[in-house]
């Protein structure tokens, strides 16, 4: 068994620090997802509009968020708000803003796709049964849309958790940063710690993301 | 048309609900953020010494993964040569020190936006940086060095093999120096110190250029690596940095560094934090006491 330097994890509060860092990453993802889902549904409904101006504006927003690397967005929000607006926001808040903007764009596109994918005959059949448009949405369209959406939006959570590894660049000490701190503080006593500590971080991401991913898969099978 | 009316109604309802929800969710993380001081009230980006004293807290940007200058120990405590000085600043000002974890690539941005009052992150003084931030008196000497595997030591950059790559950390002096003076050397850039170190150990490049203190410490602690080039480029100094134009904090820091010279503070700092890594042989060479550089 090669020396992976796993002993550094049990020095002092190191394990608790790593778990604390993981919680920071998960917390920021969950808050962002919680805000993104309703905002994204709203955006998705707006995106199905036939108004060319609304279509163009939402399209530009979606493409802008998708094309820009998340790191650039984080820097713009974290440092840009201070230099341009004089508002000093914390790294955590900047992360939530960026992840929410990103999540809203992704959710919006998913919702738009789900709404469009409901065949026209569903609307027509509902009308034939003398349902009002609001009844059509409530009893026919929305239940079918939600079924298609839930697995996809759960996947968005795992993507967000993984992307939180970037927020260390704006001073938020999350699990990866804690890992780097532990490796550095012990680089003389345990020069091999990097592998073991990164392996532990990998397992932590896996333990958090795998059940979420499995849940999405099950729901997809059940409702798909 | 009816469909559109419905959508409008849904939209309005959701907007109302969401503006409430996003307020609640968005504000929550701000309360436990480290740097929520308001800079907007004074109009200036930075805070003066009086404003810092009044708030009872000073925000100091340090490295959290750069042993032995700024790192976090197993009990979540910031430690190291820069941190030792930062703690003394807090003591002498009578305020609590709020450590902010910075990276080499974002130190200047933190000062330009006033998100920290002082950066004590192994910050090498260069003319380019001095245009963007103000440096106080220096407290340490530094030049560049190059570390390479003992099996294939690099002792000169003049006979550089065109296929080999050199590791640098983005935003460091080494990157600027090599880009200007050795444009033919292919650089492998990393954002964090820990990643650069892993890259060298994984053999993905021939050598790693960084501050010489860093490479000396690295080679002393890691078997199989040697500092083939101990000094490269001009001799530089490391100094605290403040936001451009912050005369108040700059003046206070300069007085503080000069005054600390009489009690040999930085020698004590070296012995407490750096001696374990560099040994006592390098003490006089590395330490600057009272802000005056020995010739």
């Amino acid at each position: 068994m090669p020396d992976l330097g796993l002993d550094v994890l049990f020095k002092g509060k190191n394990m608790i620090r790593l778990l604390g860092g993981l919680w920071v990453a998960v917390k920021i993802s969950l808050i962002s997802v919680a805000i993104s889902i309703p905002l994204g549904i709203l955006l998705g409904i707006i995106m199905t509009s036939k108004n060319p101006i609304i279509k163009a504006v939402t399209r530009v927003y979606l493409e802008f968020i998708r094309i820009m690397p998340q790191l650039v967005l984080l820097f713009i929000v974290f440092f840009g708000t201070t230099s341009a607006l004089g508002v000093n926001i914390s790294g955590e808040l900047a992360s939530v803003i960026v992840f929410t903007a990103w999540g809203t764009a992704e959710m919006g596109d998913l919702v738009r796709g789900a709404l469009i994918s409901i065949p026209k005959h569903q609307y027509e059949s509902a009308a034939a049964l003398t349902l009002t448009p609001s009844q059509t949405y409530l009893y026919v369209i929305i239940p079918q849309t939600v079924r298609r959406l839930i697995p996809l939006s759960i996947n968005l959570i795992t993507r967000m958790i993984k992307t939180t590894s970037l927020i260390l660049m704006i001073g938020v000490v999350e699990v990866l940063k804690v890992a780097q701190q532990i490796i550095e503080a012990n680089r003389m006593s345990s020069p091999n710690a990097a592998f073991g500590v990164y392996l532990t971080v990998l397992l932590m991401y896996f333990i958090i993301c795998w059940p979420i991913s499995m849940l999405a898969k099950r729901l997809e099978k059940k409702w798909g | 048309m009816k469909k559109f009316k419905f959508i409008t109604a849904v939209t309005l309802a959701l907007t109302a609900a969401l503006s409430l929800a996003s307020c609640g969710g968005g504000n929550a993380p701000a309360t436990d953020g480290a740097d929520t001081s308001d800079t907007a009230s004074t109009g200036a980006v930075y805070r003066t010494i009086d404003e810092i004293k009044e708030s009872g807290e000073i925000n100091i940007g340090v490295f959290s993964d750069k042993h032995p200058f700024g790192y976090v120990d197993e009990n979540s405590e910031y430690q190291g040569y820069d941190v030792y000085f930062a703690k003394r600043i807090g003591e002498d000002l009578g305020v609590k020190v709020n450590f902010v974890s910075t990276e080499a690539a974002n130190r200047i941005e933190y000062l330009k936006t006033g998100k920290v009052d002082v950066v004590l992150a192994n910050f090498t003084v260069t003319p380019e940086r001095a245009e963007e931030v103000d440096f106080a008196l220096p407290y340490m000497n530094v030049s560049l060095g190059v570390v390479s595997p003992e099996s294939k030591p690099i002792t000169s950059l003049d006979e550089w093999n065109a296929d080999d790559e050199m590791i640098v950390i983005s935003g460091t002096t080494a990157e600027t120096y090599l880009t200007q003076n050795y444009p033919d050397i292919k650089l492998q850039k990393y954002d964090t110190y820990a990643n650069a170190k892993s890259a060298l150990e994984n053999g993905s490049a021939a050598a790693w250029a960084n501050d010489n203190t860093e490479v000396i410490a690295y080679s002393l602690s890691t078997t199989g690596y040697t500092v083939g080039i101990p000094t490269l480029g001009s001799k530089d100094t490391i100094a605290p940095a403040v936001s451009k134009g912050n005369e108040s904090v700059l003046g206070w820091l300069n007085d503080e560094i000069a005054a600390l010279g009489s009690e040999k503070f930085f020698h004590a700092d070296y012995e407490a934090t750096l001696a374990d890594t560099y040994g006592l042989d390098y003490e006089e060479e590395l330490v600057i006491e009272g802000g005056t550089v020995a010739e």
Side-chain angles (χ1 to χ4, degrees), chain A residues 92-147:
Chain A
E92 282 89 348
L93 181 58
S95 312
V96 169
I97 292 172
V98 169
F99 284 125
T100 302
W102 174 44
T104 303
E106 293 285 343
M107 269 307 289
D109 203 34
L110 294 176
V111 170
R112 186 192 60 90
L115 282 176
I116 292 178
S117 75
I118 305 292
K120 206 178 169 199
H121 66 75
Q122 295 280 335
Y123 292 91
E124 289 165 354
S125 312
L129 291 169
T130 69
L131 292 179
T132 63
S134 41
Q135 282 172 329
T136 309
Y137 266 90
L138 202 58
Y139 300 118
V140 182
I141 308 301
I142 289 177
Q144 296 185 66
T145 318
V146 165
R147 279 183 192 186

Side-chain angles (χ1 to χ4, degrees), chain B residues 216-240:
Chain B
I216 289 168
Y218 176 77
S219 73
L220 286 177
S221 65
T222 320
T223 44
Y225 292 90
T226 179
V227 178
I229 308 174
T231 50
L232 180 69
S234 59
K235 267 207 143 191
D236 289 317
T237 55
I238 284 174

Side-chain angles (χ1 to χ4, degrees), chain B residues 147-149 152 154 160 164-167 188 200 203-208:
Chain B
V147 65
S148 43
K152 269 184 74 186
I154 306 269
W160 189 262
D164 284 342
E165 294 190 3
M166 174 80 89
I167 297 171
Q188 244 181 53
L200 182 71
S204 57
W208 177 13

Side-chain angles (χ1 to χ4, degrees), chain A residues 11 14 17 177-178 180-188, chain B residues 62-84 87 99-102 120-121 193 214 272-274 276-277:
Chain A
K11 262 170 110 177
N14 280 356
R17 288 174 59 208
K177 190 74 212 173
V178 176
Q180 291 175 350
Q181 290 174 350
I182 292 174
I183 293 165
E184 263 322 292
N186 295 287
R187 70 172 175 184
M188 281 186 288
Chain B
V62 293
F63 282 131
S64 67
D65 63 352
K66 202 172 184 200
H67 181 94
F69 296 98
Y71 64 98
V72 181
D73 71 8
E74 64 269 24
N75 297 314
S76 290
E77 293 284 331
Y78 277 88
Q79 302 289 356
Y81 187 76
D82 294 335
V83 173
Y84 191 93
K87 285 179 178 164
F99 289 107
V100 178
S101 164
T102 59
L120 281 176
Y193 185 83
E214 274 312 306
T273 58
L274 300 186
D276 283 348
T277 314

Side-chain angles (χ1 to χ4, degrees), chain B residues 155-174:
Chain B
T155 51
S156 160
L157 293 185
D158 297 326
E159 57 222 44
W160 189 262
N161 181 345
D163 295 333
D164 284 342
E165 294 190 3
M166 174 80 89
I167 297 171
V168 292
I169 300 175
S170 302
T172 58
T173 343

Side-chain angles (χ1 to χ4, degrees), chain A residues 8-125:
Chain A
V8 301
L9 292 172
F10 302 102
K11 262 170 110 177
K13 298 185 208 153
N14 280 356
M15 201 64 196
I16 293 164
R17 288 174 59 208
L18 262 187
L19 290 170
L22 187 66
W23 172 236
V24 170
V26 171
K27 185 180 72 180
I28 286 176
S29 316
L30 289 182
I31 293 174
S32 307
V33 169
I35 307 173
S36 300
I37 288 179
L39 281 180
I41 291 173
L42 183 62
L43 180 71
I45 295 172
I46 295 171
M47 281 174 86
T48 56
S49 154
K50 291 191 178 65
N51 182 326
I53 298 166
I54 292 176
K55 257 185 159 170
V57 170
T58 50
R59 197 76 218 161
V60 166
Y61 170 74
L62 181 68
E63 292 301 328
F64 178 80
I65 297 284
R66 277 194 173 164
I67 290 168
M68 285 293 248
Q70 267 91 34
L71 189 57
V72 176
L73 291 173
L74 286 169
F75 269 70
I76 291 175
V77 172
F78 185 59
F79 292 116
T81 49
T82 314
S83 48
L85 309 172
V87 185
N88 193 2
I89 61 173
S90 69
E92 282 89 348
L93 181 58
S95 312
V96 169
I97 292 172
V98 169
F99 284 125
T100 302
W102 174 44
T104 303
E106 293 285 343
M107 269 307 289
D109 203 34
L110 294 176
V111 170
R112 186 192 60 90
L115 282 176
I116 292 178
S117 75
I118 305 292
K120 206 178 169 199
H121 66 75
Q122 295 280 335
Y123 292 91
E124 289 165 354
S125 312

